[in-house]
Amino acid sequence: MAYLGHLEVINTVERSIRRSGLPFSVGNGFARRMRVQFSQALPVGAFSEGEYYDLILTEEIDPREALELLQPATPPALGPYRAAYVPRRFQALEAWLDRSQWQVEIHGEGLKAEDVDAGIGLVKEAGKIDFMRGDKPRTIETVTTLVSWDTQQTSWGVALSLETHSSNLGALRPAVLLDAAFGTEPLAGTRRSSQRVCRTGQWHEENGRLVEPFDANFTWSLT
């Protein structure tokens, strides 16, 4: 599943929605596509403990009934397990979910948690990362996108916990951060044998607090 591209996930979910028989809405534009929005794309190679999508229906269906229709129509690893209605005036889901939590396993002989911590600290102080996305140069600010991090020593390497913030200026990918960190002096000459990235949570930041997408109190206050 980690090696499915974002478009492959979208296409699979759309087919599943069609199989479910839910009365989905179709846009009025030239493409006439299903009106469904997804949370921010996972980097290829990253796992996830839970993603989100918004689907606009042409008639109201009880969320429990919607789940009962969707679950058998969807491959198990992509099957939904929660559903609720949200206000239509919410911004696009990809923009609304602007905080993410990541767990990263960095495998390598001789890796030290304090060196990884120091390397990430230098990248944060630099304020930005210049990198290549394919054959195109990209820049991401670390001042605003890297919220916090924590490193723990393990028997196989280093366990890294990350909190990131995204905006219309971009989102920080763990692999990009680590590539930059391993180019700093504290990690000079140190090699990673592998790394495993998992997105463990997504939230909306509202007035200094993190809002879970299914927070009933928050949803109720906006309706």
Side-chain angles (χ1 to χ4, degrees):
M1 288 297 296
Y3 297 98
L4 286 180
H6 188 55
L7 291 179
E8 292 172 306
V9 173
I10 290 175
N11 289 337
T12 303
V13 170
E14 288 185 348
R15 291 191 182 104
S16 301
I17 292 169
R18 293 179 187 276
R19 283 195 295 264
S20 74
L22 281 174
F24 60 86
S25 176
V26 176
N28 295 321
F30 178 78
R32 300 284 294 169
R33 294 189 61 85
M34 182 185 297
R35 299 177 73 183
V36 59
Q37 296 178 348
F38 291 81
S39 53
Q40 197 169 97
L42 269 175
V44 174
F47 298 82
S48 174
E49 292 186 355
E51 297 298 297
Y52 299 90
Y53 66 86
D54 283 346
L55 175 66
I56 298 178
L57 302 177
T58 57
E59 61 184 83
E60 187 171 352
I61 302 290
D62 185 279
R64 291 169 295 183
E65 181 183 350
L67 280 177
E68 290 173 358
L69 291 170
L70 281 168
Q71 286 170 341
T74 309
L78 287 174
Y81 54 89
R82 291 184 73 182
Y85 282 99
V86 296
R88 282 289 300 274
R89 61 177 176 272
F90 269 17
Q91 64 190 125
L93 186 61
E94 182 178 6
W96 190 77
L97 290 172
D98 54 6
R99 285 287 296 272
S100 292
Q101 182 181 62
W102 308 83
Q103 295 294 328
V104 186
E105 296 177 3
I106 312 170
H107 295 254
E109 186 176 350
L111 274 178
K112 296 181 179 180
E114 57 264 33
D115 292 339
V116 175
D117 182 80
I120 294 175
L122 289 175
V123 174
K124 174 79 170 181
E125 290 177 12
K128 67 175 184 176
I129 301 173
D130 296 317
F131 64 102
M132 298 296 293
R133 176 76 59 79
D135 58 353
K136 296 181 180 179
R138 292 284 188 269
T139 298
I140 187 74
E141 292 187 358
T142 55
V143 175
T144 56
T145 59
L146 179 54
V147 178
S148 65
W149 70 93
D150 179 69
T151 58
Q152 298 290 330
Q153 194 71 49
T154 71
S155 59
W156 38 259
V158 176
L160 170 66
S161 177
L162 287 175
E163 296 277 351
T164 62
H165 179 272
S166 61
S167 68
N168 58 358
L169 298 178
L172 177 62
R173 298 187 174 197
V176 170
L177 174 64
L178 287 177
D179 286 346
F182 273 80
T184 62
E185 193 276 333
L187 290 165
T190 306
R191 298 187 62 182
R192 294 163 286 172
S193 59
S194 64
Q195 63 190 35
R196 183 182 189 274
V197 179
C198 181
R199 180 153 64 190
T200 56
Q202 296 180 81
W203 299 271
H204 170 69
E205 189 170 5
E206 182 78 15
N207 298 324
R209 74 182 182 98
L210 297 184
V211 180
E212 198 266 344
F214 286 90
D215 186 331
N217 293 326
F218 182 78
T219 303
W220 176 84
S221 69
L222 291 178
T223 55

